[in-house]
Amino acid sequence: LDEDPIHWASLSWADEFFDMPQRVRAYHTAVRLDRRNDVYANTLASIYYAQRDFRNAIANYLEAIQRAPGNAAYRNALGNAYFNLLDYARAVEAYQAALALDGGFAVYHANLALTYARLEAWDRSIEAYTKAIEIEPANAGHRNDLGNVCFSRAEYARAAEAYASSPRTSPRRC
């Protein structure tokens, strides 16, 4: 039983048995015992991310990606961790890798767009927000963010157009 990674992973979420440091140790054990399972590494990364320990989150997202190289969501999450460390160049790389694997998620484009905005790469930001809007036209957040980028460039008419075209509600900004 002590060498069963499922045992360690399932026990780690039993609140009555483990506090957060014990959960982290349990997931480390599961990751060590099952070198093929990407979910354990991703869950451990997500725990670190939630604790705002982005360096350990990055290490474990990279481990999950090594185990499941075709998983776009892990690369997007990696980008989020880099973004939170203000490492925008690596965030861009991670988001682009996620998009190369699955370009159908608007949030991947929006994350890339926000990162480009932080880098003041305005044209690229506008392009990525435009793609996010194409994929998810009912999301007011993407249009508002596009408006913010246009406003930052002093393109006030274009910003006003983006704001005015925003739906009243959005899954992201409710």
Side-chain angles (χ1 to χ4, degrees):
L1 194 58
D2 284 345
E3 295 300 312
D4 180 8
I6 295 172
H7 165 78
W8 286 100
S10 62
L11 278 182
S12 71
W13 289 105
D15 288 334
E16 63 273 13
F17 297 116
F18 287 129
D19 61 13
M20 189 54 74
Q22 290 171 315
R23 287 179 185 169
V24 169
R25 284 192 297 277
Y27 260 99
H28 273 290
T29 301
V31 168
R32 180 181 50 78
L33 291 173
D34 189 347
R35 294 281 178 201
R36 294 178 313 249
N37 191 316
D38 56 294
V39 176
Y40 297 154
N42 181 63
T43 302
L44 186 56
S46 298
I47 291 169
Y48 281 125
Y49 187 93
Q51 295 175 334
R52 302 195 58 78
D53 181 351
F54 300 117
R55 295 197 189 287
N56 277 319
I58 288 167
N60 285 281
Y61 284 132
L62 289 170
E63 180 69 26
I65 289 166
Q66 183 178 359
R67 294 173 183 204
N71 189 309
Y74 295 168
R75 292 174 190 276
N76 183 66
L78 175 65
N80 292 342
Y82 281 129
F83 183 91
N84 277 285
L85 287 178
L86 310 180
D87 190 344
Y88 300 131
R90 285 191 176 146
V92 165
E93 289 174 10
Y95 295 139
Q96 287 175 334
L99 287 165
L101 291 168
D102 188 350
F105 279 99
V107 71
Y108 298 174
H109 292 279
N111 287 344
L112 180 61
L114 178 60
T115 307
Y116 280 141
R118 292 289 167 91
L119 291 168
E120 298 183 1
W122 306 118
D123 291 337
R124 289 180 176 178
S125 181
I126 289 170
E127 182 181 319
Y129 276 130
T130 301
K131 185 64 178 173
I133 292 166
E134 287 173 15
I135 295 168
E136 198 174 55
N139 189 313
H142 303 325
R143 292 174 191 273
N144 289 335
D145 293 341
L146 174 61
N148 292 341
V149 170
C150 293
F151 190 87
S152 294
R153 293 184 58 167
E155 293 181 16
Y156 303 120
R158 192 171 179 186
E161 182 183 319
Y163 295 139
S165 71
S166 247
R168 287 180 138 328
T169 61
S170 168
R172 188 169 142 216
R173 307 276 174 138
C174 291

Short mmCIF file of all heavy atoms in Angstrom, two decimals, residues 45-108:
data_model
loop_
_atom_site.label_atom_id
_atom_site.label_comp_id
_atom_site.label_asym_id
_atom_site.label_seq_id
_atom_site.Cartn_x
_atom_site.Cartn_y
_atom_site.Cartn_z
N ALA A 45 1.40 20.80 -9.14
CA ALA A 45 1.66 22.14 -9.66
C ALA A 45 0.51 23.08 -9.32
O ALA A 45 0.73 24.23 -8.91
CB ALA A 45 1.86 22.09 -11.18
N SER A 46 -0.71 22.60 -9.46
CA SER A 46 -1.88 23.43 -9.16
C SER A 46 -1.95 23.80 -7.68
O SER A 46 -2.37 24.91 -7.33
CB SER A 46 -3.16 22.71 -9.58
OG SER A 46 -3.16 22.49 -10.97
N ILE A 47 -1.55 22.89 -6.82
CA ILE A 47 -1.50 23.19 -5.38
C ILE A 47 -0.49 24.30 -5.12
O ILE A 47 -0.79 25.28 -4.43
CB ILE A 47 -1.14 21.92 -4.56
CG1 ILE A 47 -2.30 20.92 -4.61
CG2 ILE A 47 -0.82 22.29 -3.11
CD1 ILE A 47 -1.94 19.55 -4.05
N TYR A 48 0.70 24.17 -5.70
CA TYR A 48 1.71 25.22 -5.53
C TYR A 48 1.22 26.55 -6.11
O TYR A 48 1.42 27.61 -5.52
CB TYR A 48 3.03 24.82 -6.18
CG TYR A 48 3.85 23.86 -5.37
CD1 TYR A 48 4.27 22.65 -5.91
CD2 TYR A 48 4.22 24.16 -4.07
CE1 TYR A 48 5.04 21.77 -5.18
CE2 TYR A 48 4.99 23.27 -3.32
CZ TYR A 48 5.40 22.08 -3.88
OH TYR A 48 6.16 21.21 -3.15
N TYR A 49 0.57 26.48 -7.26
CA TYR A 49 0.06 27.70 -7.89
C TYR A 49 -0.95 28.39 -6.97
O TYR A 49 -0.90 29.61 -6.77
CB TYR A 49 -0.58 27.37 -9.24
CG TYR A 49 -0.99 28.58 -10.03
CD1 TYR A 49 -0.13 29.15 -10.97
CD2 TYR A 49 -2.23 29.18 -9.84
CE1 TYR A 49 -0.50 30.27 -11.70
CE2 TYR A 49 -2.61 30.30 -10.57
CZ TYR A 49 -1.73 30.84 -11.49
OH TYR A 49 -2.10 31.95 -12.19
N ALA A 50 -1.86 27.62 -6.41
CA ALA A 50 -2.87 28.17 -5.50
C ALA A 50 -2.23 28.81 -4.27
O ALA A 50 -2.76 29.77 -3.72
CB ALA A 50 -3.85 27.09 -5.09
N GLN A 51 -1.08 28.30 -3.88
CA GLN A 51 -0.34 28.86 -2.74
C GLN A 51 0.56 30.02 -3.16
O GLN A 51 1.29 30.56 -2.35
CB GLN A 51 0.52 27.77 -2.09
CG GLN A 51 -0.29 26.67 -1.46
CD GLN A 51 0.60 25.56 -0.91
OE1 GLN A 51 1.71 25.33 -1.37
NE2 GLN A 51 0.08 24.86 0.08
N ARG A 52 0.51 30.38 -4.46
CA ARG A 52 1.32 31.44 -5.04
C ARG A 52 2.82 31.13 -4.98
O ARG A 52 3.66 32.00 -4.99
CB ARG A 52 1.01 32.80 -4.41
CG ARG A 52 -0.48 33.16 -4.56
CD ARG A 52 -0.82 34.58 -4.29
NE ARG A 52 -0.12 35.54 -5.11
CZ ARG A 52 -0.42 35.85 -6.38
NH1 ARG A 52 -1.39 35.24 -6.99
NH2 ARG A 52 0.27 36.78 -7.04
N ASP A 53 3.15 29.84 -4.94
CA ASP A 53 4.53 29.37 -5.01
C ASP A 53 4.79 29.02 -6.48
O ASP A 53 4.77 27.86 -6.88
CB ASP A 53 4.72 28.16 -4.10
CG ASP A 53 6.14 27.63 -4.10
OD1 ASP A 53 6.98 28.09 -4.93
OD2 ASP A 53 6.43 26.75 -3.27
N PHE A 54 5.01 30.06 -7.28
CA PHE A 54 5.05 29.88 -8.73
C PHE A 54 6.29 29.13 -9.20
O PHE A 54 6.23 28.42 -10.21
CB PHE A 54 4.92 31.23 -9.43
CG PHE A 54 3.63 31.92 -9.08
CD1 PHE A 54 3.63 33.14 -8.43
CD2 PHE A 54 2.41 31.34 -9.39
CE1 PHE A 54 2.44 33.77 -8.09
CE2 PHE A 54 1.22 31.95 -9.05
CZ PHE A 54 1.23 33.17 -8.40
N ARG A 55 7.38 29.24 -8.49
CA ARG A 55 8.59 28.50 -8.91
C ARG A 55 8.37 26.99 -8.80
O ARG A 55 8.72 26.24 -9.72
CB ARG A 55 9.79 28.95 -8.10
CG ARG A 55 10.15 30.40 -8.39
CD ARG A 55 11.53 30.78 -7.95
NE ARG A 55 11.75 32.21 -8.05
CZ ARG A 55 11.89 32.89 -9.18
NH1 ARG A 55 11.86 32.27 -10.32
NH2 ARG A 55 12.07 34.20 -9.16
N ASN A 56 7.80 26.53 -7.71
CA ASN A 56 7.51 25.10 -7.58
C ASN A 56 6.38 24.69 -8.52
O ASN A 56 6.37 23.57 -9.04
CB ASN A 56 7.17 24.73 -6.14
CG ASN A 56 8.41 24.48 -5.32
OD1 ASN A 56 9.36 23.87 -5.79
ND2 ASN A 56 8.43 24.98 -4.10
N ALA A 57 5.43 25.58 -8.75
CA ALA A 57 4.37 25.29 -9.73
C ALA A 57 4.99 25.05 -11.10
O ALA A 57 4.65 24.08 -11.78
CB ALA A 57 3.36 26.43 -9.77
N ILE A 58 5.90 25.92 -11.50
CA ILE A 58 6.57 25.79 -12.80
C ILE A 58 7.30 24.46 -12.91
O ILE A 58 7.17 23.74 -13.91
CB ILE A 58 7.51 26.98 -13.06
CG1 ILE A 58 6.68 28.24 -13.35
CG2 ILE A 58 8.49 26.69 -14.19
CD1 ILE A 58 7.46 29.53 -13.31
N ALA A 59 8.04 24.12 -11.88
CA ALA A 59 8.79 22.85 -11.90
C ALA A 59 7.85 21.67 -12.12
O ALA A 59 8.15 20.75 -12.88
CB ALA A 59 9.59 22.69 -10.61
N ASN A 60 6.70 21.70 -11.46
CA ASN A 60 5.78 20.57 -11.58
C ASN A 60 4.96 20.62 -12.86
O ASN A 60 4.61 19.58 -13.40
CB ASN A 60 4.90 20.49 -10.33
CG ASN A 60 5.70 19.92 -9.18
OD1 ASN A 60 5.89 18.71 -9.11
ND2 ASN A 60 6.22 20.77 -8.32
N TYR A 61 4.64 21.82 -13.38
CA TYR A 61 4.01 21.89 -14.70
C TYR A 61 4.96 21.34 -15.75
O TYR A 61 4.54 20.61 -16.67
CB TYR A 61 3.60 23.32 -15.06
CG TYR A 61 2.36 23.80 -14.35
CD1 TYR A 61 2.34 25.04 -13.72
CD2 TYR A 61 1.19 23.03 -14.30
CE1 TYR A 61 1.21 25.51 -13.06
CE2 TYR A 61 0.07 23.48 -13.64
CZ TYR A 61 0.07 24.71 -13.03
OH TYR A 61 -1.04 25.17 -12.39
N LEU A 62 6.24 21.67 -15.64
CA LEU A 62 7.22 21.13 -16.59
C LEU A 62 7.28 19.61 -16.50
O LEU A 62 7.41 18.92 -17.52
CB LEU A 62 8.59 21.77 -16.36
CG LEU A 62 8.70 23.23 -16.76
CD1 LEU A 62 10.03 23.82 -16.27
CD2 LEU A 62 8.56 23.40 -18.27
N GLU A 63 7.18 19.08 -15.29
CA GLU A 63 7.16 17.62 -15.10
C GLU A 63 5.91 17.03 -15.76
O GLU A 63 5.98 16.00 -16.45
CB GLU A 63 7.19 17.27 -13.62
CG GLU A 63 7.16 15.80 -13.31
CD GLU A 63 8.42 15.05 -13.69
OE1 GLU A 63 9.51 15.68 -13.74
OE2 GLU A 63 8.34 13.84 -13.95
N ALA A 64 4.76 17.67 -15.57
CA ALA A 64 3.52 17.18 -16.19
C ALA A 64 3.63 17.23 -17.71
O ALA A 64 3.19 16.30 -18.40
CB ALA A 64 2.33 18.01 -15.71
N ILE A 65 4.23 18.30 -18.24
CA ILE A 65 4.40 18.43 -19.69
C ILE A 65 5.34 17.36 -20.22
O ILE A 65 5.10 16.79 -21.30
CB ILE A 65 4.89 19.86 -20.04
CG1 ILE A 65 3.76 20.86 -19.80
CG2 ILE A 65 5.40 19.93 -21.47
CD1 ILE A 65 4.21 22.31 -19.78
N GLN A 66 6.38 17.07 -19.48
CA GLN A 66 7.30 16.01 -19.90
C GLN A 66 6.56 14.67 -19.98
O GLN A 66 6.81 13.88 -20.88
CB GLN A 66 8.47 15.91 -18.92
CG GLN A 66 9.51 14.90 -19.32
CD GLN A 66 10.67 14.87 -18.33
OE1 GLN A 66 10.71 15.61 -17.35
NE2 GLN A 66 11.62 14.01 -18.60
N ARG A 67 5.64 14.46 -19.07
CA ARG A 67 4.88 13.21 -19.05
C ARG A 67 3.76 13.19 -20.09
O ARG A 67 3.34 12.11 -20.52
CB ARG A 67 4.30 12.98 -17.66
CG ARG A 67 5.37 12.75 -16.60
CD ARG A 67 4.80 12.71 -15.22
NE ARG A 67 5.86 12.55 -14.23
CZ ARG A 67 5.68 12.03 -13.03
NH1 ARG A 67 4.49 11.63 -12.65
NH2 ARG A 67 6.69 11.93 -12.20
N ALA A 68 3.23 14.36 -20.43
CA ALA A 68 2.14 14.45 -21.41
C ALA A 68 2.39 15.63 -22.34
O ALA A 68 1.77 16.69 -22.20
CB ALA A 68 0.80 14.61 -20.68
N PRO A 69 3.33 15.48 -23.27
CA PRO A 69 3.74 16.61 -24.11
C PRO A 69 2.63 17.20 -24.99
O PRO A 69 2.73 18.34 -25.41
CB PRO A 69 4.86 16.04 -24.98
CG PRO A 69 4.97 14.60 -24.67
CD PRO A 69 4.06 14.27 -23.55
N GLY A 70 1.58 16.46 -25.22
CA GLY A 70 0.50 16.95 -26.06
C GLY A 70 -0.62 17.66 -25.31
O GLY A 70 -1.63 18.01 -25.90
N ASN A 71 -0.44 17.92 -24.02
CA ASN A 71 -1.49 18.53 -23.22
C ASN A 71 -1.35 20.06 -23.26
O ASN A 71 -0.46 20.63 -22.63
CB ASN A 71 -1.43 18.01 -21.79
CG ASN A 71 -2.62 18.44 -20.98
OD1 ASN A 71 -2.96 19.63 -20.93
ND2 ASN A 71 -3.26 17.49 -20.33
N ALA A 72 -2.24 20.71 -23.98
CA ALA A 72 -2.19 22.17 -24.12
C ALA A 72 -2.52 22.88 -22.81
O ALA A 72 -1.95 23.94 -22.52
CB ALA A 72 -3.15 22.61 -25.21
N ALA A 73 -3.41 22.32 -22.02
CA ALA A 73 -3.82 22.97 -20.77
C ALA A 73 -2.63 23.12 -19.81
O ALA A 73 -2.52 24.13 -19.11
CB ALA A 73 -4.94 22.19 -20.10
N TYR A 74 -1.76 22.13 -19.78
CA TYR A 74 -0.59 22.22 -18.90
C TYR A 74 0.31 23.37 -19.35
O TYR A 74 0.88 24.09 -18.53
CB TYR A 74 0.22 20.92 -18.90
CG TYR A 74 -0.49 19.71 -18.33
CD1 TYR A 74 0.03 18.45 -18.52
CD2 TYR A 74 -1.68 19.81 -17.61
CE1 TYR A 74 -0.60 17.31 -18.00
CE2 TYR A 74 -2.31 18.69 -17.09
CZ TYR A 74 -1.76 17.45 -17.29
OH TYR A 74 -2.38 16.34 -16.77
N ARG A 75 0.46 23.55 -20.65
CA ARG A 75 1.30 24.62 -21.17
C ARG A 75 0.67 25.99 -20.88
O ARG A 75 1.37 26.95 -20.57
CB ARG A 75 1.56 24.43 -22.65
CG ARG A 75 2.43 23.20 -22.90
CD ARG A 75 2.59 22.89 -24.36
NE ARG A 75 3.22 21.61 -24.57
CZ ARG A 75 4.53 21.39 -24.56
NH1 ARG A 75 5.36 22.38 -24.34
NH2 ARG A 75 5.01 20.19 -24.75
N ASN A 76 -0.64 26.08 -20.96
CA ASN A 76 -1.32 27.32 -20.61
C ASN A 76 -1.11 27.64 -19.13
O ASN A 76 -0.82 28.77 -18.77
CB ASN A 76 -2.81 27.23 -20.93
CG ASN A 76 -3.53 28.52 -20.64
OD1 ASN A 76 -3.29 29.54 -21.28
ND2 ASN A 76 -4.41 28.49 -19.66
N ALA A 77 -1.27 26.63 -18.28
CA ALA A 77 -1.05 26.83 -16.84
C ALA A 77 0.40 27.23 -16.55
O ALA A 77 0.65 28.09 -15.69
CB ALA A 77 -1.42 25.55 -16.08
N LEU A 78 1.32 26.64 -17.27
CA LEU A 78 2.73 27.02 -17.14
C LEU A 78 2.90 28.50 -17.50
O LEU A 78 3.59 29.25 -16.80
CB LEU A 78 3.60 26.14 -18.05
CG LEU A 78 5.09 26.48 -18.13
CD1 LEU A 78 5.76 26.24 -16.77
CD2 LEU A 78 5.74 25.63 -19.22
N GLY A 79 2.26 28.92 -18.58
CA GLY A 79 2.30 30.33 -18.97
C GLY A 79 1.77 31.23 -17.87
O GLY A 79 2.33 32.29 -17.59
N ASN A 80 0.68 30.81 -17.22
CA ASN A 80 0.13 31.60 -16.13
C ASN A 80 1.12 31.75 -14.98
O ASN A 80 1.23 32.82 -14.38
CB ASN A 80 -1.17 30.97 -15.62
CG ASN A 80 -2.29 31.03 -16.62
OD1 ASN A 80 -2.25 31.81 -17.57
ND2 ASN A 80 -3.31 30.20 -16.42
N ALA A 81 1.84 30.68 -14.67
CA ALA A 81 2.83 30.74 -13.60
C ALA A 81 3.97 31.69 -13.98
O ALA A 81 4.39 32.52 -13.16
CB ALA A 81 3.35 29.35 -13.27
N TYR A 82 4.46 31.57 -15.20
CA TYR A 82 5.50 32.50 -15.65
C TYR A 82 5.00 33.94 -15.62
O TYR A 82 5.71 34.86 -15.22
CB TYR A 82 5.98 32.16 -17.07
CG TYR A 82 6.95 31.00 -17.15
CD1 TYR A 82 6.72 29.95 -18.04
CD2 TYR A 82 8.09 30.96 -16.37
CE1 TYR A 82 7.62 28.89 -18.14
CE2 TYR A 82 8.99 29.90 -16.46
CZ TYR A 82 8.74 28.87 -17.35
OH TYR A 82 9.63 27.83 -17.43
N PHE A 83 3.75 34.15 -16.06
CA PHE A 83 3.16 35.49 -16.06
C PHE A 83 3.18 36.07 -14.64
O PHE A 83 3.52 37.24 -14.44
CB PHE A 83 1.73 35.43 -16.61
CG PHE A 83 1.07 36.77 -16.71
CD1 PHE A 83 1.16 37.50 -17.88
CD2 PHE A 83 0.35 37.30 -15.65
CE1 PHE A 83 0.55 38.75 -17.98
CE2 PHE A 83 -0.26 38.54 -15.73
CZ PHE A 83 -0.15 39.26 -16.91
N ASN A 84 2.80 35.26 -13.66
CA ASN A 84 2.76 35.73 -12.28
C ASN A 84 4.14 36.05 -11.73
O ASN A 84 4.25 36.83 -10.78
CB ASN A 84 2.05 34.72 -11.39
CG ASN A 84 0.56 34.89 -11.47
OD1 ASN A 84 0.01 35.82 -10.90
ND2 ASN A 84 -0.10 34.01 -12.22
N LEU A 85 5.17 35.47 -12.31
CA LEU A 85 6.55 35.81 -11.94
C LEU A 85 7.10 36.97 -12.77
O LEU A 85 8.26 37.32 -12.64
CB LEU A 85 7.47 34.59 -12.09
CG LEU A 85 7.32 33.51 -11.05
CD1 LEU A 85 8.25 32.33 -11.37
CD2 LEU A 85 7.61 34.03 -9.65
N LEU A 86 6.23 37.53 -13.62
CA LEU A 86 6.59 38.63 -14.52
C LEU A 86 7.62 38.22 -15.56
O LEU A 86 8.30 39.07 -16.13
CB LEU A 86 7.07 39.87 -13.74
CG LEU A 86 6.17 40.34 -12.59
CD1 LEU A 86 6.76 41.56 -11.91
CD2 LEU A 86 4.75 40.60 -13.07
N ASP A 87 7.72 36.93 -15.82
CA ASP A 87 8.61 36.41 -16.86
C ASP A 87 7.78 36.29 -18.14
O ASP A 87 7.36 35.20 -18.55
CB ASP A 87 9.19 35.06 -16.44
CG ASP A 87 10.29 34.58 -17.36
OD1 ASP A 87 10.41 35.11 -18.49
OD2 ASP A 87 11.03 33.66 -16.96
N TYR A 88 7.53 37.45 -18.75
CA TYR A 88 6.61 37.51 -19.88
C TYR A 88 7.12 36.79 -21.11
O TYR A 88 6.33 36.20 -21.86
CB TYR A 88 6.27 38.96 -20.20
CG TYR A 88 5.61 39.68 -19.05
CD1 TYR A 88 6.06 40.93 -18.64
CD2 TYR A 88 4.55 39.10 -18.36
CE1 TYR A 88 5.45 41.59 -17.58
CE2 TYR A 88 3.94 39.76 -17.30
CZ TYR A 88 4.39 41.00 -16.91
OH TYR A 88 3.79 41.65 -15.87
N ALA A 89 8.42 36.78 -21.32
CA ALA A 89 8.96 36.09 -22.50
C ALA A 89 8.66 34.59 -22.42
O ALA A 89 8.22 33.98 -23.41
CB ALA A 89 10.46 36.33 -22.62
N ARG A 90 8.86 34.00 -21.25
CA ARG A 90 8.56 32.57 -21.11
C ARG A 90 7.05 32.32 -21.11
O ARG A 90 6.59 31.27 -21.58
CB ARG A 90 9.20 32.02 -19.84
CG ARG A 90 10.69 31.83 -20.00
CD ARG A 90 11.26 31.05 -18.86
NE ARG A 90 12.66 30.81 -19.08
CZ ARG A 90 13.55 30.75 -18.13
NH1 ARG A 90 13.20 30.90 -16.87
NH2 ARG A 90 14.82 30.52 -18.41
N ALA A 91 6.29 33.26 -20.58
CA ALA A 91 4.83 33.12 -20.64
C ALA A 91 4.36 33.08 -22.09
O ALA A 91 3.54 32.23 -22.46
CB ALA A 91 4.15 34.26 -19.88
N VAL A 92 4.89 33.97 -22.91
CA VAL A 92 4.55 33.98 -24.34
C VAL A 92 4.88 32.63 -24.96
O VAL A 92 4.06 32.05 -25.69
CB VAL A 92 5.26 35.14 -25.09
CG1 VAL A 92 5.21 34.93 -26.60
CG2 VAL A 92 4.65 36.48 -24.72
N GLU A 93 6.06 32.11 -24.69
CA GLU A 93 6.45 30.81 -25.25
C GLU A 93 5.48 29.71 -24.83
O GLU A 93 5.08 28.88 -25.65
CB GLU A 93 7.86 30.43 -24.79
CG GLU A 93 8.96 31.26 -25.40
CD GLU A 93 10.33 30.95 -24.80
OE1 GLU A 93 10.45 29.96 -24.04
OE2 GLU A 93 11.26 31.71 -25.08
N ALA A 94 5.10 29.71 -23.55
CA ALA A 94 4.19 28.67 -23.06
C ALA A 94 2.81 28.80 -23.70
O ALA A 94 2.21 27.81 -24.12
CB ALA A 94 4.09 28.73 -21.54
N TYR A 95 2.29 30.03 -23.79
CA TYR A 95 0.98 30.23 -24.41
C TYR A 95 1.01 29.87 -25.89
O TYR A 95 0.07 29.27 -26.41
CB TYR A 95 0.50 31.68 -24.23
CG TYR A 95 0.23 32.08 -22.80
CD1 TYR A 95 0.60 33.34 -22.34
CD2 TYR A 95 -0.41 31.22 -21.91
CE1 TYR A 95 0.35 33.73 -21.03
CE2 TYR A 95 -0.65 31.60 -20.60
CZ TYR A 95 -0.28 32.86 -20.17
OH TYR A 95 -0.53 33.24 -18.87
N GLN A 96 2.08 30.24 -26.58
CA GLN A 96 2.19 29.88 -28.00
C GLN A 96 2.24 28.36 -28.17
O GLN A 96 1.66 27.82 -29.11
CB GLN A 96 3.42 30.54 -28.62
CG GLN A 96 3.26 32.02 -28.84
CD GLN A 96 4.52 32.69 -29.33
OE1 GLN A 96 5.63 32.23 -29.10
NE2 GLN A 96 4.35 33.82 -30.03
N ALA A 97 2.92 27.68 -27.26
CA ALA A 97 2.98 26.21 -27.33
C ALA A 97 1.59 25.61 -27.08
O ALA A 97 1.20 24.65 -27.75
CB ALA A 97 3.98 25.67 -26.31
N ALA A 98 0.84 26.19 -26.15
CA ALA A 98 -0.53 25.72 -25.90
C ALA A 98 -1.38 25.92 -27.15
O ALA A 98 -2.14 25.03 -27.55
CB ALA A 98 -1.14 26.45 -24.71
N LEU A 99 -1.25 27.08 -27.77
CA LEU A 99 -2.03 27.37 -28.98
C LEU A 99 -1.63 26.48 -30.15
O LEU A 99 -2.48 26.11 -30.96
CB LEU A 99 -1.88 28.85 -29.35
CG LEU A 99 -2.64 29.80 -28.43
CD1 LEU A 99 -2.17 31.23 -28.61
CD2 LEU A 99 -4.14 29.67 -28.67
N ALA A 100 -0.36 26.14 -30.24
CA ALA A 100 0.09 25.24 -31.30
C ALA A 100 -0.55 23.86 -31.16
O ALA A 100 -0.84 23.19 -32.15
CB ALA A 100 1.61 25.13 -31.30
N LEU A 101 -0.80 23.47 -29.91
CA LEU A 101 -1.43 22.17 -29.67
C LEU A 101 -2.95 22.23 -29.79
O LEU A 101 -3.59 21.28 -30.23
CB LEU A 101 -1.06 21.66 -28.27
CG LEU A 101 0.39 21.26 -28.10
CD1 LEU A 101 0.73 21.05 -26.63
CD2 LEU A 101 0.69 20.00 -28.91
N ASP A 102 -3.53 23.37 -29.39
CA ASP A 102 -4.98 23.51 -29.44
C ASP A 102 -5.34 24.99 -29.50
O ASP A 102 -5.41 25.66 -28.46
CB ASP A 102 -5.63 22.86 -28.21
CG ASP A 102 -7.15 22.82 -28.31
OD1 ASP A 102 -7.72 23.47 -29.22
OD2 ASP A 102 -7.76 22.14 -27.48
N GLY A 103 -5.55 25.48 -30.70
CA GLY A 103 -5.85 26.89 -30.89
C GLY A 103 -7.32 27.24 -30.71
O GLY A 103 -7.72 28.38 -30.96
N GLY A 104 -8.12 26.31 -30.25
CA GLY A 104 -9.55 26.52 -30.15
C GLY A 104 -10.05 27.07 -28.84
O GLY A 104 -11.25 27.27 -28.67
N PHE A 105 -9.17 27.33 -27.89
CA PHE A 105 -9.59 27.88 -26.61
C PHE A 105 -9.33 29.38 -26.58
O PHE A 105 -8.18 29.82 -26.66
CB PHE A 105 -8.85 27.21 -25.44
CG PHE A 105 -9.45 25.89 -25.05
CD1 PHE A 105 -8.87 24.71 -25.49
CD2 PHE A 105 -10.57 25.83 -24.25
CE1 PHE A 105 -9.41 23.49 -25.14
CE2 PHE A 105 -11.12 24.61 -23.89
CZ PHE A 105 -10.54 23.43 -24.34
N ALA A 106 -10.38 30.14 -26.41
CA ALA A 106 -10.27 31.60 -26.40
C ALA A 106 -9.37 32.08 -25.27
O ALA A 106 -8.61 33.04 -25.44
CB ALA A 106 -11.65 32.24 -26.28
N VAL A 107 -9.42 31.41 -24.14
CA VAL A 107 -8.63 31.86 -22.99
C VAL A 107 -7.13 31.79 -23.28
O VAL A 107 -6.37 32.63 -22.79
CB VAL A 107 -9.01 31.10 -21.70
CG1 VAL A 107 -8.53 29.67 -21.72
CG2 VAL A 107 -8.48 31.82 -20.47
N TYR A 108 -6.68 30.83 -24.07
CA TYR A 108 -5.26 30.77 -24.43
C TYR A 108 -4.87 32.02 -25.22
O TYR A 108 -3.81 32.61 -24.99
CB TYR A 108 -4.94 29.53 -25.25
CG TYR A 108 -5.17 28.19 -24.59
CD1 TYR A 108 -5.03 27.02 -25.32
CD2 TYR A 108 -5.55 28.07 -23.26
CE1 TYR A 108 -5.24 25.77 -24.75
CE2 TYR A 108 -5.77 26.82 -22.68
CZ TYR A 108 -5.61 25.69 -23.43
OH TYR A 108 -5.83 24.45 -22.87
#
